[in-house]
Amino acid sequence: MMPIDSKYPELRRRRFRQIPVRMLVPNVITLLAICAGLTAIRLSTEGRMELAVAAIVFAAALDGIDGRIARLIKGQSKFGAELDSLADFVNFGVAPGLILYFWQLHDLGNGGWIAAMVFAISGGLRLARFNASIDDPSKPAFAANYFTGVPAPAGAITVLLPVYLAFLGVTMPPAMLTAFYTLLVAFLMVSRLPVFSGKTMRMRVPPEMLLPVFVSVVFFIALLVSYPWHILSAGSVLYLISLPWGWKTYRDHARAAEAAVLAEASTASTPPPSYPGVTEADQDSRPARLN
């Protein structure tokens, strides 16, 4: 074995630097979300669909707070971003597809499996496109407030709408209709449809509204716990209805940006003012301080 010479620090044995605890907290939350998604798959194979869907909702809640906590405590890392993408694929691509398959799509045989598989693959493609376009310099400034296609967590919650309605006592739809709805949500995930995200909105709460906001949040959580399938059903329907509004607002912003660019270009191409009786040669012969 070659001895380590103190004169050459590059030959010294490398040591792993210590990682702050604040860098670990968001990753632990993401791992808990993965555990919830895997548990949802197991529960669906056992036929305990209500608990399986609840695990998906819990994973979506964890996914909504891990990134915000990371930014709050300055614990962002490339490792955490990659782990979050893996968690989203499992929790919001694979798990919902398998839940739908074990719930009803298996009645269609290979057709039902294809629908579940297409949804899972669409979730993976949606996440890959999102990661690839994060630092896209060609995107306009207003586009930062929009997703391209339905995000994976929203797609997972929305695609389970037939399951929510069945839990409410609504007659189970035909398996073919469920498969078509699954493929529709999968298409919305991989489409180029602009979906309003609100990520760049900075909402500030006035001091006098702080307590009412707290009460409203607690009230909503209590409603979700007490009437989960009613809230999830209504939320899924309202989300689908709001998709055209996101597309319209994006198109309005795009038209306004295009008009601003055209106006700037026309202003730049306006010729300099001309003076009666003064030729271009006379203007060029003026002293430098007058040019």
Side-chain angles (χ1 to χ4, degrees):
M1 182 175 178
M2 180 179 170
I4 299 177
D5 192 351
S6 60
K7 295 181 180 180
Y8 300 96
E10 66 274 6
L11 297 180
R12 295 177 183 176
R13 184 175 301 172
R14 293 183 178 181
R15 296 180 180 179
F16 292 102
R17 61 184 180 86
Q18 295 182 350
I19 301 176
V21 176
R22 61 182 174 82
M23 304 291 291
L24 299 178
V25 173
N27 296 330
V28 171
I29 297 176
T30 304
L31 291 175
L32 289 177
I34 295 178
C35 292
L38 295 175
T39 303
I41 296 175
R42 176 193 171 183
L43 293 172
S44 65
T45 59
E46 298 175 352
R48 304 193 298 185
M49 294 300 173
E50 292 192 7
L51 292 177
V53 174
I56 294 296
V57 175
F58 180 64
L62 292 177
D63 179 75
I65 65 175
D66 61 353
R68 288 170 174 81
I69 290 179
R71 290 188 291 271
L72 181 64
I73 64 178
K74 297 182 179 180
Q76 305 100 314
S77 65
K78 186 176 181 181
F79 174 84
E82 298 297 332
L83 182 63
D84 186 70
S85 294
L86 175 62
D88 289 351
F89 175 64
V90 174
N91 299 337
F92 311 127
V94 178
L98 290 178
I99 289 176
L100 288 170
Y101 178 77
F102 291 122
W103 177 67
Q104 188 188 38
L105 292 181
H106 65 275
D107 295 340
L108 298 177
N110 292 333
W113 175 246
I114 291 174
M117 187 168 53
V118 168
F119 178 82
I121 293 174
S122 298
L125 293 174
R126 168 65 178 78
L127 293 166
R129 183 179 63 187
F130 174 79
N131 293 338
S133 61
I134 289 180
D135 299 325
D136 186 4
S138 62
K139 295 175 62 175
F142 66 87
N145 214 26
Y146 293 85
F147 292 120
T148 302
V150 173
I157 297 298
T158 305
V159 79
L160 295 174
L161 177 60
V163 184
Y164 309 148
L165 296 177
F167 292 161
L168 291 175
V170 179
T171 303
M172 184 179 295
M176 186 63 69
L177 182 60
T178 302
F180 174 78
Y181 177 73
T182 303
L183 294 175
L184 175 62
V185 177
F187 170 76
L188 291 175
M189 292 171 65
V190 298
S191 68
R192 305 292 299 179
L193 178 69
V195 179
F196 185 75
S197 66
K199 294 173 63 176
T200 60
M201 295 179 60
R202 296 183 177 272
M203 301 182 63
R204 297 182 179 273
V205 180
E208 63 274 10
M209 294 297 297
L210 188 61
L211 292 181
V213 169
F214 283 151
V215 173
S216 301
V217 172
V218 172
F219 180 70
F220 175 77
I221 295 176
L223 281 179
L224 184 60
V225 173
S226 302
Y227 306 98
W229 315 130
H230 296 80
I231 300 300
L232 291 172
S233 299
S236 299
V237 173
L238 291 176
Y239 184 80
L240 291 174
I241 294 176
S242 68
L243 292 180
W245 174 75
W247 171 78
K248 181 181 181 302
T249 57
Y250 183 91
R251 190 175 65 171
D252 293 341
H253 284 298
R255 289 178 175 175
E258 184 179 359
V261 171
L262 292 177
E264 183 178 357
S266 62
T267 302
S269 61
T270 302
S274 59
Y275 302 94
V278 181
T279 63
E280 184 177 354
D282 295 334
Q283 294 182 10
D284 293 338
S285 62
R286 291 178 300 173
R289 60 185 180 87
L290 296 179
N291 286 332

